[in-house]
Amino acid sequence: MKKIALSLILLGSMAFAAEANATKAEANATKAKAEAAAPAAGDAAAGKTVFAKCAGCHGQNAEKKALGKSDVIAGWDAAKVVAALKGFKAGTYKGHGMEATMKGQASTLSDADMANVAAYIASLKK
C-alpha cells in the first residue's frame, strides 16, 4: 500500500513539474515573440549619423518625397519605420516603386541601425 501511495505521489509531482516547465516555456515563447515584434528603442543621435546617407533622396530632415515618389517620412512612428526598413530588406514591403532602391539601402542596415534611424526619423517634425 505504501509503495502505491509513494508511486502516486511521485507521478503527481512529476506531472506538476512537467506542467510547470510547459508553462515556463510558453511564457518564454510569448516574451520572445513580443520582443521580436516590438523594435528596440533606438538612439536618435546615432540615427542621425545613419540617416546621412538617406538625406540625398529624403532631404536633410526627411521632408522630401524620395525621388518624387515616396511618402514624406519625417515624423513617422519608429515602429512604422523599422517595419518598412525590415520589409524593404526582406523584399516584402511595397513602397511606391522604390522597392529595389530601398532593398539595396536597407540591406546594409543592422537591426540596431534600423532602430536608431527610426528614432531619429520619429523625432523629426512633419
Side-chain angles (χ1 to χ4, degrees):
M1 188 68 149
K2 286 183 182 179
K3 287 184 181 182
I4 293 173
L6 283 172
S7 295
L8 290 174
I9 291 170
L10 181 61
L11 283 173
S13 64
M14 289 173 61
F16 179 77
E19 185 176 332
N21 285 339
T23 301
K24 192 178 206 181
E26 286 177 20
N28 288 339
T30 300
K31 182 180 176 186
K33 283 182 184 176
E35 288 173 353
D43 176 352
K48 185 175 183 177
T49 302
V50 175
F51 186 78
K53 72 178 187 175
C54 310
C57 294
H58 287 282
Q60 287 297 101
N61 297 302
E63 77 282 3
K64 291 180 172 180
K65 291 184 173 193
L67 304 176
K69 296 180 181 181
S70 75
D71 294 329
V72 172
I73 61 172
W76 271 21
D77 180 74
K80 182 177 179 178
V81 174
V82 169
L85 290 171
K86 286 186 175 195
F88 278 127
K89 189 173 186 176
T92 58
Y93 189 85
K94 300 301 176 210
H96 304 287
M98 302 296 293
E99 296 84 9
T101 300
M102 283 302 299
K103 182 176 176 78
Q105 295 300 314
S107 68
T108 66
L109 301 175
S110 67
D111 286 348
D113 289 336
M114 289 183 193
N116 292 340
V117 78
Y120 177 68
I121 290 169
S123 75
L124 298 171
K125 301 285 185 230
K126 285 185 178 182

